[in-house]
Amino acid sequence: MTAPTITPPPTTVHHPLTLRALAEGLGSALGHEHRTRLNQDLAAVTEQGPTALDSRFPAAGRRYGRTRLPGWAGWHIEDAVRTRLLARLDLHATPLAQEATRRYRDGDAAERRGVLHALPFLPLGPHAVHLTDDALRTNDNRLIAAALGPYAQAHLDQYRWRQAVLKCLFTGIPLAKVAGLHERRDAELARMATGFAAERRAAGRTVPADLWLIATHDG
């Protein structure tokens, strides 16, 4: 009799210590009153589950601030708050992906950015790749940059990842924002980048200064 195949539960892309570092960075950026309020909000999520997010998730910017989060490039304080709220949910894989999808679908641009930043901190496996796909189809550079973080590095297939990197060149997003660029770049991406540069020069347009990061490949 063949033993049943046991599929291991999905894990987060980031190590749990990274979430702890985010929590500490957020705590340092918040004043005492806001830290107390955040602890209360997190406790409510633990007790009530997803329904506790209905008012708290959209209000994160208004309640905690929309300024940059020191030490976390591309992050705002509200992104870190939303990440912590989602990470407190006792859900995994498909149910958690459904909850993240609901917050993304019903949210404004800032809420969607918060969901995208949160993805590598959540035990989702590949179940939320559709969210990165959706963000990459937009013309919002904030969402595109957030979508190309560690979650996309881990779960986006090579074809879609190359197309996303090329979109960064078209839209002016610095390639330094693409997580795992050095590890995932390949000869096909170099070919595409070279072709892009040739088209730009033929049209009398400038070539992005950071194109060299992907225009050659040693492998």
Side-chain angles (χ1 to χ4, degrees):
M1 183 176 180
T2 303
T5 301
I6 300 176
T7 302
T11 59
T12 62
V13 172
H14 281 317
H15 190 279
L17 288 177
T18 308
L19 180 59
R20 182 184 300 178
L22 179 66
E24 291 174 352
L26 176 59
S28 297
L30 297 176
H32 175 73
E33 181 180 345
H34 283 122
R35 287 196 299 270
T36 300
R37 174 182 289 177
L38 179 58
N39 287 334
Q40 292 170 347
D41 286 346
L42 293 172
V45 174
T46 299
E47 180 180 348
Q48 302 169 27
T51 59
L53 298 181
D54 291 345
S55 61
R56 293 172 174 84
F57 196 84
R62 184 177 71 254
R63 297 180 68 173
Y64 294 98
R66 298 181 172 91
T67 58
R68 297 281 184 175
L69 180 65
W72 291 76
W75 282 70
H76 297 71
I77 285 177
E78 60 183 316
D79 298 324
V81 170
R82 291 185 173 114
T83 294
R84 293 211 62 198
L85 291 173
L86 286 171
R88 186 56 66 98
L89 292 172
D90 188 20
L91 299 172
H92 299 275
T94 301
L96 183 55
Q98 291 171 343
E99 183 60 30
T101 298
R102 185 160 75 92
R103 302 300 163 184
Y104 179 93
R105 184 190 63 232
D106 296 342
D108 60 16
E111 291 167 63
R112 293 184 174 195
R113 186 189 65 219
V115 171
L116 294 168
H117 277 309
L119 295 182
F121 292 92
L122 307 176
L124 291 162
H127 296 284
V129 171
H130 62 282
L131 296 181
T132 64
D133 285 337
D134 183 86
L136 294 171
R137 287 192 294 266
T138 72
N139 293 316
D140 189 328
N141 283 9
R142 297 167 300 174
L143 297 186
I144 295 170
L148 285 172
Y151 186 81
Q153 177 187 357
H155 295 295
L156 203 63
D157 67 57
Q158 193 69 1
Y159 173 81
R160 288 182 290 174
W161 184 83
R162 290 192 204 103
Q163 295 297 323
V165 173
L166 202 64
K167 186 166 185 175
C168 288
L169 294 177
F170 276 106
T171 58
I173 296 173
L175 294 183
K177 293 183 177 293
V178 180
L181 183 70
H182 181 75
E183 294 83 0
R184 291 198 62 173
R185 64 180 184 162
D186 57 14
E188 178 60 17
L189 182 60
R191 185 195 67 76
M192 294 167 66
T194 301
F196 169 80
E199 291 177 3
R200 299 276 289 197
R201 293 190 184 100
R205 303 180 66 185
T206 59
V207 176
D210 57 357
L211 182 138
W212 67 271
L213 291 171
I214 57 172
T216 58
H217 183 252
D218 300 330

